[in-house]
Amino acid sequence: ERGGDRLMCLGIPGEILEIDGQEARADFRGAEKWVRIDVVGADLEVGDYVLNHAGFAIRKIPEAQVERTVELYEQAATAGGEG
């Protein structure tokens, strides 16, 4: 906590556009970034969504949860002054 506010790390959802070995290019709200995919494993495909934290895909988002996850991120980004 800092000044009574709680700090939280937030994973950013992104869509996989390209896979090259242990890295993938993903779209995060219009910004394309390369992320490491070692943690997530080999079952990723182009079109899948992942949560990114500090340049690492930390979780594959199940297809049934993608829409809600992106919606929640957009709400958090807007509330935090990023949107």
Side-chain angles (χ1 to χ4, degrees), residues 5-53:
D5 294 329
R6 293 187 177 177
L7 299 176
M8 174 178 62
C9 293
L10 185 64
I12 302 172
E15 180 182 7
I16 300 295
L17 303 175
E18 174 185 354
I19 298 172
D20 183 10
Q22 292 300 312
E23 295 185 317
R25 185 171 53 91
D27 176 37
F28 300 98
R29 299 178 73 202
E32 292 183 14
K33 306 281 183 183
W34 283 91
V35 297
R36 296 289 304 186
I37 57 174
D38 317 56
V39 175
V40 177
D43 67 334
L44 280 182
E45 298 178 1
V46 171
D48 285 343
Y49 278 75
V50 295
L51 283 180
N52 172 60
H53 178 71

Side-chain angles (χ1 to χ4, degrees), residues 13-14 49 61 65-75:
Y49 278 75
I61 303 171
Q65 296 175 8
V66 168
E67 186 175 332
R68 182 69 177 140
T69 301
V70 171
E71 179 181 293
L72 288 170
Y73 176 78
E74 293 293 335
Q75 289 175 3

